[in-house]
């Protein structure tokens, strides 16, 4: 007998359990959007290159177009719909709003999900390709514009809102009081003028 090609699975999304039938080839992105009506997560390239579909899996970033829904069973999935606390925006969302970290907004859910994890990864001392001294004794590097651009480089913005995105991530990290976060980088003379890419320039 041929093995089954579909199953009923239970996904834990934004703190709620959802049991749904899925074809084993269904991506997590399609399950979220098409079956759970969580359309905040966007489909851009559908091949792992743009970051628009980024969600958090057990707190870590994942491009949901490259994850099979069946492989996400039992894991904590956070989408943009689960980031705010009721009507109160998360500090990352508020920073994007205050600093115009988006234009058309299409990439924004993925950018915000990435930013959430970037701030935690940085505070936990994870180095990036932009970290000059990766020895543990060097401590947490400052979350400079270069660090933010490198850590957010998996998320492309076609509108070229990169300057504001870098500023918003820095502000949110500062608001969270994270180790190594710049104090007030969004002010004049801060990240906006210190090495931020020009509009339309890639973050990476
Ligand atoms: S839609 Fe998943 S990375 Fe582009
Ligand atoms: S805000 Fe339009 S793609 Fe990023």
């Amino acid at each position: 007998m041929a093995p089954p090609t579909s199953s009923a699975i239970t996904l834990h999304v934004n703190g709620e359990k959802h049991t749904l039938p899925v074809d084993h080839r269904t991506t997590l992105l399609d399950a979220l959007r098409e079956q759970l009506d969580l359309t905040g997560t966007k489909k851009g390239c559908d091949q792992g290159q743009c970051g628009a579909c980024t969600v958090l899996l057990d707190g870590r970033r994942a491009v949901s177009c490259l994850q099979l829904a069946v492989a996400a069973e039992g894991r904590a999935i956070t989408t943009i719909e689960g980031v705010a606390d009721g009507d109160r925006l998360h500090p990352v969302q508020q920073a994007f709003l205050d600093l115009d970290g988006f234009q058309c907004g299409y990439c924004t859910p993925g950018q915000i999900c990435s930013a959430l994890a970037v701030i935690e990864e940085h505070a936990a001392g994870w180095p990036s390709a932009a970290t000059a001294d990766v020895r543990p004794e060097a401590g947490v590097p400052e979350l400079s514009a270069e660090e933010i651009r490198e850590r957010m480089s998996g998320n492309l913005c076609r509108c070229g809102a990169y300057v504001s995105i870098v500023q918003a991530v820095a502000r949110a990290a500062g608001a969270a009081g994270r180790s190594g976060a710049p104090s007030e980088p969004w002010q004049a003379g801060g990240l906006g003028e210190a090495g931020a890419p020009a509009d339309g320039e890639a973050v990476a």
Side-chain angles (χ1 to χ4, degrees):
M1 193 170 75
T5 58
S6 63
S7 299
I9 64 170
T10 300
L11 296 180
H12 295 68
V13 187
N14 303 328
E16 290 183 18
K17 284 185 184 178
H18 302 269
T19 299
L20 62 161
V22 292
D23 183 298
H24 293 165
R25 298 164 295 182
T26 302
T27 63
L28 177 59
L29 174 61
D30 285 342
L32 291 170
R33 287 182 57 85
E34 308 296 334
Q35 295 180 259
L36 299 181
D37 287 332
L38 293 170
T39 53
T41 305
K42 300 296 187 250
K43 182 180 283 191
C45 63
D46 207 19
Q47 52 185 339
Q49 294 185 350
C50 73
C53 64
T54 302
V55 298
L56 301 180
L57 281 180
D58 296 330
R60 297 200 178 155
R61 298 180 277 173
V63 281
S64 57
C65 69
L66 294 188
Q67 296 280 333
L68 290 175
V70 290
E73 190 168 32
R75 304 183 69 182
I77 303 163
T78 304
T79 70
I80 192 67
E81 289 90 348
V83 172
D85 180 9
D87 288 339
R88 200 176 58 165
L89 295 179
H90 187 282
V92 172
Q93 293 173 302
Q94 192 64 54
F96 269 70
L97 196 60
D98 292 345
L99 297 168
D100 280 337
F102 54 86
Q103 290 175 30
C104 78
Y106 195 80
C107 72
T108 307
Q111 298 273 8
I112 287 174
C113 285
S114 267
L116 289 168
V118 160
I119 291 169
E120 295 304 321
E121 290 165 9
H122 169 262
W126 292 21
S128 79
T131 304
D133 189 343
V134 299
R135 293 173 303 159
E137 57 266 35
V140 179
E142 185 191 0
L143 195 57
S144 62
E146 190 183 7
E147 282 280 356
I148 293 172
R149 288 202 304 274
E150 169 58 29
R151 291 169 189 266
M152 295 288 293
S153 62
N155 293 73
L156 303 181
C157 175
R158 292 297 178 196
C159 292
Y162 293 121
V163 173
S164 299
I165 290 168
V166 170
Q167 292 173 333
V169 175
R171 174 183 280 195
R178 293 302 192 231
S179 171
S183 50
E184 294 196 337
W186 55 89
Q187 293 183 345
L191 292 180
E193 296 172 13
D199 280 358
E201 187 179 338
V203 172

